[in-house]
Amino acid sequence: MLSIENLSVKVEDRLILRDVNLNINVGEVHVLFGPNGAGKSTLINTIIGNPRYKVVEGSIYFKGKDITDMPIYERAKLGIGLAYQKPPEIPGVKLRDLLKIIARVDWEEIERMAEILKFKDFLDRDVNVGFSGGEVKRSELLQLFAQNPDFMMFDEPDSGVDVENIKLLGRIINHLLEKDRKPADRRKAGLIITHMGHILKFINVDRAHILYNGVIACSGSPEEILNTIIKYGYKRCIRCYQRRR
Ligand code: ADP
Ligand code: MG
Protein backbone atom coordinates (compact mmCIF):
# COMPACT_ATOMS: atom_id res chain seq x y z
CA MET A 1 0.00 0.00 0.00
CA LEU A 2 2.74 2.48 1.00
CA SER A 3 6.36 2.39 0.00
CA ILE A 4 8.94 4.98 1.02
CA GLU A 5 12.37 4.89 -0.60
CA ASN A 6 15.47 6.74 0.56
CA LEU A 7 13.44 9.69 1.76
CA SER A 8 15.20 12.81 3.03
CA VAL A 9 13.13 15.81 4.12
CA LYS A 10 13.89 19.43 4.96
CA VAL A 11 11.79 21.76 7.08
CA GLU A 12 12.64 25.47 7.04
CA ASP A 13 15.96 24.57 5.39
CA ARG A 14 16.91 22.12 8.12
CA LEU A 15 17.39 18.47 7.22
CA ILE A 16 15.05 16.51 9.52
CA LEU A 17 14.64 13.05 7.94
CA ARG A 18 17.52 11.16 6.40
CA ASP A 19 17.31 8.18 4.07
CA VAL A 20 14.07 6.75 5.46
CA ASN A 21 12.83 3.46 3.98
CA LEU A 22 9.47 2.02 4.93
CA ASN A 23 7.06 -0.50 3.41
CA ILE A 24 3.54 -1.04 4.70
CA ASN A 25 1.45 -3.73 3.02
CA VAL A 26 -2.33 -4.02 2.79
CA GLY A 27 -3.65 -5.39 6.07
CA GLU A 28 -0.63 -4.21 8.08
CA VAL A 29 -0.38 -1.68 10.87
CA HIS A 30 3.01 -0.32 11.83
CA VAL A 31 3.91 1.69 14.90
CA LEU A 32 6.52 4.42 15.02
CA PHE A 33 8.32 5.16 18.27
CA GLY A 34 10.95 7.77 18.94
CA PRO A 35 11.97 10.55 21.33
CA ASN A 36 10.48 14.03 21.06
CA GLY A 37 11.80 15.92 18.08
CA ALA A 38 13.00 12.77 16.29
CA GLY A 39 10.96 13.64 13.20
CA LYS A 40 7.90 11.37 13.60
CA SER A 41 5.33 14.07 12.83
CA THR A 42 7.58 15.28 10.01
CA LEU A 43 7.35 11.85 8.40
CA ILE A 44 3.57 11.82 8.61
CA ASN A 45 3.28 15.40 7.33
CA THR A 46 5.50 14.47 4.39
CA ILE A 47 3.37 11.41 3.57
CA ILE A 48 0.17 13.48 3.56
CA GLY A 49 1.88 16.19 1.49
CA ASN A 50 2.07 19.23 3.77
CA PRO A 51 3.96 21.71 1.52
CA ARG A 52 6.13 23.00 4.38
CA TYR A 53 7.92 19.65 4.36
CA LYS A 54 10.25 19.50 1.36
CA VAL A 55 11.41 16.19 -0.05
CA VAL A 56 15.05 16.69 -1.02
CA GLU A 57 15.70 13.07 -1.93
CA GLY A 58 13.78 9.83 -2.41
CA SER A 59 10.21 8.91 -3.28
CA ILE A 60 6.85 7.98 -1.79
CA TYR A 61 4.64 5.47 -3.56
CA PHE A 62 1.00 4.86 -2.68
CA LYS A 63 -0.85 1.95 -4.29
CA GLY A 64 2.00 1.83 -6.79
CA LYS A 65 1.69 5.51 -7.78
CA ASP A 66 4.49 8.00 -7.24
CA ILE A 67 2.87 10.63 -5.01
CA THR A 68 6.07 12.46 -4.00
CA ASP A 69 5.04 15.72 -5.71
CA MET A 70 1.27 15.34 -5.48
CA PRO A 71 -0.76 18.03 -3.67
CA ILE A 72 -2.36 17.15 -0.35
CA TYR A 73 -5.97 17.00 -1.67
CA GLU A 74 -5.01 14.54 -4.41
CA ARG A 75 -3.45 12.26 -1.81
CA ALA A 76 -6.60 12.51 0.30
CA LYS A 77 -8.70 11.57 -2.74
CA LEU A 78 -6.44 8.58 -3.40
CA GLY A 79 -7.19 7.33 0.10
CA ILE A 80 -4.65 8.67 2.58
CA GLY A 81 -6.01 10.02 5.85
CA LEU A 82 -4.47 11.51 8.97
CA ALA A 83 -5.55 12.05 12.55
CA TYR A 84 -3.45 15.06 13.57
CA GLN A 85 -1.52 15.40 16.79
CA LYS A 86 -2.61 19.02 17.20
CA PRO A 87 -5.27 20.01 14.67
CA PRO A 88 -6.23 23.70 14.50
CA GLU A 89 -9.43 25.23 15.88
CA ILE A 90 -11.84 26.25 13.12
CA PRO A 91 -14.20 28.91 14.51
CA GLY A 92 -17.39 29.31 12.48
CA VAL A 93 -17.33 25.77 11.08
CA LYS A 94 -19.58 23.22 12.74
CA LEU A 95 -18.23 19.70 13.06
CA ARG A 96 -21.46 18.41 11.49
CA ASP A 97 -20.92 20.53 8.35
CA LEU A 98 -17.29 19.52 8.04
CA LEU A 99 -18.26 15.85 8.35
CA LYS A 100 -20.92 16.22 5.66
CA ILE A 101 -18.39 17.69 3.24
CA ILE A 102 -15.71 15.04 3.78
CA ALA A 103 -18.06 12.05 4.15
CA ARG A 104 -17.57 8.96 2.05
CA VAL A 105 -19.92 6.90 4.20
CA ASP A 106 -23.64 7.36 4.93
CA TRP A 107 -24.64 9.96 7.49
CA GLU A 108 -26.40 7.29 9.61
CA GLU A 109 -23.09 5.48 9.98
CA ILE A 110 -21.35 8.68 11.04
CA GLU A 111 -24.05 9.28 13.65
CA ARG A 112 -23.63 5.73 14.91
CA MET A 113 -19.89 6.23 15.24
CA ALA A 114 -20.47 9.58 16.99
CA GLU A 115 -22.65 7.71 19.45
CA ILE A 116 -19.98 5.08 20.11
CA LEU A 117 -17.42 7.86 20.60
CA LYS A 118 -19.84 9.65 22.97
CA PHE A 119 -19.52 12.63 20.70
CA LYS A 120 -23.02 13.42 19.43
CA ASP A 121 -23.24 16.56 21.57
CA PHE A 122 -20.21 17.95 19.77
CA LEU A 123 -21.64 17.81 16.23
CA ASP A 124 -23.05 21.33 16.51
CA ARG A 125 -19.95 22.85 18.04
CA ASP A 126 -17.26 24.67 16.10
CA VAL A 127 -14.47 22.27 15.13
CA ASN A 128 -12.00 21.88 18.00
CA VAL A 129 -12.94 25.22 19.58
CA GLY A 130 -12.60 24.75 23.32
CA PHE A 131 -12.25 20.97 22.99
CA SER A 132 -10.15 19.19 25.63
CA GLY A 133 -7.19 17.04 24.56
CA GLY A 134 -9.27 13.85 24.56
CA GLU A 135 -12.17 15.52 22.75
CA VAL A 136 -9.85 16.68 19.96
CA LYS A 137 -8.68 13.08 19.51
CA ARG A 138 -12.25 11.79 19.31
CA SER A 139 -13.12 14.51 16.79
CA GLU A 140 -10.14 13.43 14.65
CA LEU A 141 -11.23 9.78 14.75
CA LEU A 142 -14.78 10.69 13.74
CA GLN A 143 -13.48 12.72 10.79
CA LEU A 144 -11.24 9.84 9.73
CA PHE A 145 -14.16 7.43 9.97
CA ALA A 146 -16.22 9.75 7.74
CA GLN A 147 -13.44 10.00 5.13
CA ASN A 148 -12.96 6.24 5.12
CA PRO A 149 -9.38 6.29 3.78
CA ASP A 150 -7.50 3.10 2.89
CA PHE A 151 -4.30 4.20 4.58
CA MET A 152 -4.62 5.90 7.96
CA MET A 153 -2.03 7.65 10.05
CA PHE A 154 -2.51 8.49 13.71
CA ASP A 155 -0.19 11.04 15.27
CA GLU A 156 -0.17 10.34 19.01
CA PRO A 157 -3.86 9.42 19.29
CA ASP A 158 -3.33 8.71 23.00
CA SER A 159 -1.57 11.90 24.10
CA GLY A 160 -3.62 13.91 26.59
CA VAL A 161 -6.25 11.16 26.85
CA ASP A 162 -7.29 9.69 30.20
CA VAL A 163 -6.99 5.97 30.89
CA GLU A 164 -10.70 5.07 30.44
CA ASN A 165 -10.81 6.71 27.04
CA ILE A 166 -7.59 5.12 25.78
CA LYS A 167 -9.35 1.76 25.65
CA LEU A 168 -12.24 3.24 23.65
CA LEU A 169 -9.94 5.05 21.22
CA GLY A 170 -7.69 1.98 20.85
CA ARG A 171 -10.65 -0.24 20.00
CA ILE A 172 -11.99 2.21 17.46
CA ILE A 173 -8.61 2.60 15.80
CA ASN A 174 -8.40 -1.20 15.62
CA HIS A 175 -11.84 -1.24 14.01
CA LEU A 176 -11.03 1.55 11.52
CA LEU A 177 -7.96 -0.42 10.47
CA GLU A 178 -10.13 -3.55 10.08
CA LYS A 179 -7.92 -5.45 12.49
CA ASP A 180 -11.11 -6.91 13.98
CA ARG A 181 -11.68 -8.76 10.68
CA LYS A 182 -10.16 -11.98 9.38
CA PRO A 183 -6.77 -11.36 7.70
CA ALA A 184 -8.17 -12.18 4.25
CA ASP A 185 -10.88 -9.50 4.63
CA ARG A 186 -8.55 -6.65 5.55
CA ARG A 187 -8.21 -3.88 2.95
CA LYS A 188 -6.69 -1.10 5.06
CA ALA A 189 -3.27 -0.26 6.42
CA GLY A 190 -1.96 2.17 8.99
CA LEU A 191 0.85 3.92 10.77
CA ILE A 192 0.54 4.88 14.43
CA ILE A 193 2.82 7.20 16.35
CA THR A 194 2.75 6.72 20.08
CA HIS A 195 4.89 7.39 23.11
CA MET A 196 3.13 5.08 25.48
CA GLY A 197 2.42 1.45 24.91
CA HIS A 198 -1.02 1.60 26.60
CA ILE A 199 -3.03 2.10 23.46
CA LEU A 200 -1.19 -0.76 21.74
CA LYS A 201 -2.88 -3.20 24.10
CA PHE A 202 -6.07 -2.59 22.12
CA ILE A 203 -4.63 -2.46 18.60
CA ASN A 204 -3.29 -5.38 16.65
CA VAL A 205 0.02 -4.04 15.29
CA ASP A 206 2.40 -5.95 13.04
CA ARG A 207 5.70 -4.13 13.08
CA ALA A 208 7.46 -1.35 14.95
CA HIS A 209 10.18 1.13 14.05
CA ILE A 210 12.22 3.57 16.08
CA LEU A 211 12.94 6.93 14.54
CA TYR A 212 15.98 8.46 16.16
CA ASN A 213 17.32 11.84 15.08
CA GLY A 214 15.64 11.55 11.68
CA VAL A 215 16.90 8.05 10.96
CA ILE A 216 15.06 4.71 11.30
CA ALA A 217 17.45 3.18 13.83
CA CYS A 218 15.71 -0.18 14.06
CA SER A 219 12.63 -2.19 13.11
CA GLY A 220 11.18 -5.33 14.60
CA SER A 221 8.35 -6.90 16.54
CA PRO A 222 6.26 -4.32 18.43
CA GLU A 223 6.40 -6.20 21.77
CA GLU A 224 10.14 -6.63 21.65
CA ILE A 225 10.83 -3.02 20.73
CA LEU A 226 8.37 -1.63 23.27
CA ASN A 227 9.82 -3.78 26.06
CA THR A 228 13.33 -2.61 25.20
CA ILE A 229 12.25 1.04 25.25
CA ILE A 230 10.52 0.57 28.62
CA LYS A 231 13.62 -1.12 30.04
CA TYR A 232 16.39 1.07 28.63
CA GLY A 233 14.74 4.20 27.21
CA TYR A 234 16.09 5.43 23.88
CA LYS A 235 19.73 5.47 25.04
CA ARG A 236 20.42 2.14 23.39
CA CYS A 237 19.26 3.53 20.06
CA ILE A 238 22.41 5.60 19.70
CA ARG A 239 24.46 2.55 18.68
CA CYS A 240 22.02 1.46 15.96
CA TYR A 241 21.62 5.06 14.85
CA GLN A 242 25.37 5.46 14.36
CA ARG A 243 25.50 2.23 12.39
CA ARG A 244 22.66 3.32 10.09
CA ARG A 245 23.43 6.95 9.40
P1 ADP B 1 8.40 14.42 16.69
O1 ADP B 1 7.04 14.34 16.09
O2 ADP B 1 9.19 13.16 16.55
O3 ADP B 1 8.39 14.90 18.11
P2 ADP B 1 8.78 16.56 14.74
O4 ADP B 1 8.69 15.90 13.42
O5 ADP B 1 7.59 17.33 15.19
O6 ADP B 1 9.24 15.50 15.85
O7 ADP B 1 10.00 17.58 14.73
C1 ADP B 1 11.30 17.22 14.28
C2 ADP B 1 12.13 18.49 14.17
O8 ADP B 1 11.65 19.27 13.08
C3 ADP B 1 12.05 19.36 15.41
O9 ADP B 1 13.33 19.90 15.65
C4 ADP B 1 11.07 20.44 15.00
O10 ADP B 1 11.32 21.64 15.67
C5 ADP B 1 11.30 20.57 13.51
N1 ADP B 1 10.06 20.94 12.82
C6 ADP B 1 9.00 20.14 12.58
N2 ADP B 1 8.01 20.81 11.95
C7 ADP B 1 8.46 22.08 11.79
C8 ADP B 1 7.91 23.28 11.19
N3 ADP B 1 6.71 23.28 10.62
N4 ADP B 1 8.68 24.39 11.24
C9 ADP B 1 9.90 24.38 11.81
N5 ADP B 1 10.48 23.30 12.38
C10 ADP B 1 9.78 22.17 12.37
MG1 MG C 1 5.14 14.69 16.86
Side-chain angles (χ1 to χ4, degrees), residues 102-116:
I102 63 177
R104 280 179 168 179
V105 300
D106 293 340
W107 179 253
E108 292 73 46
E109 283 188 57
I110 295 173
E111 279 202 320
R112 212 175 310 139
M113 180 52 77
E115 188 113 40
I116 295 168

Side-chain angles (χ1 to χ4, degrees), residues 128-169:
N128 295 331
V129 176
F131 287 15
S132 73
E135 287 161 359
V136 165
K137 301 293 174 180
R138 280 189 277 158
S139 165
E140 287 293 294
L141 286 200
L142 189 57
Q143 289 169 51
L144 212 50
F145 173 80
Q147 289 174 76
N148 193 21
D150 295 323
F151 180 69
M152 292 170 223
M153 300 183 284
F154 301 86
D155 198 348
E156 302 201 19
D158 46 3
S159 70
V161 181
D162 52 58
V163 184
E164 297 97 87
N165 278 309
I166 282 189
K167 187 172 175 179
L168 175 69
L169 296 189

Side-chain angles (χ1 to χ4, degrees), residues 21-22 207-210 216-221 225 244:
N21 289 280
L22 186 67
R207 206 167 159 73
H209 313 274
I210 295 181
I216 295 206
C218 72
S219 302
S221 101
I225 288 193
R244 295 263 173 122

Side-chain angles (χ1 to χ4, degrees), residues 35-177:
N36 271 329
K40 304 183 295 299
S41 296
T42 297
L43 179 59
I44 274 188
N45 271 292
T46 308
I47 295 171
I48 197 73
N50 182 333
R52 289 177 76 179
Y53 298 76
K54 304 259 186 276
V55 174
V56 290
E57 222 183 289
S59 307
I60 307 171
Y61 298 91
F62 180 64
K63 295 179 183 169
K65 245 193 205 121
D66 189 338
I67 61 162
T68 317
D69 299 316
M70 209 178 255
I72 193 163
Y73 59 90
E74 296 268 359
R75 299 184 203 210
K77 277 195 210 159
L78 274 185
I80 303 181
L82 163 55
Y84 285 89
Q85 182 174 1
K86 285 184 203 125
E89 295 187 352
I90 316 178
V93 177
K94 303 265 175 265
L95 180 57
R96 180 188 299 275
D97 296 332
L98 177 62
L99 287 168
K100 285 197 165 148
I101 290 166
I102 63 177
R104 280 179 168 179
V105 300
D106 293 340
W107 179 253
E108 292 73 46
E109 283 188 57
I110 295 173
E111 279 202 320
R112 212 175 310 139
M113 180 52 77
E115 188 113 40
I116 295 168
L117 280 165
K118 297 178 249 159
F119 217 59
K120 273 191 112 169
D121 292 347
F122 291 77
L123 293 177
D124 291 305
R125 298 224 347 223
D126 288 1
V127 178
N128 295 331
V129 176
F131 287 15
S132 73
E135 287 161 359
V136 165
K137 301 293 174 180
R138 280 189 277 158
S139 165
E140 287 293 294
L141 286 200
L142 189 57
Q143 289 169 51
L144 212 50
F145 173 80
Q147 289 174 76
N148 193 21
D150 295 323
F151 180 69
M152 292 170 223
M153 300 183 284
F154 301 86
D155 198 348
E156 302 201 19
D158 46 3
S159 70
V161 181
D162 52 58
V163 184
E164 297 97 87
N165 278 309
I166 282 189
K167 187 172 175 179
L168 175 69
L169 296 189
R171 282 190 172 158
I172 287 170
I173 291 171
N174 201 53
H175 173 72
L176 293 181
L177 292 166

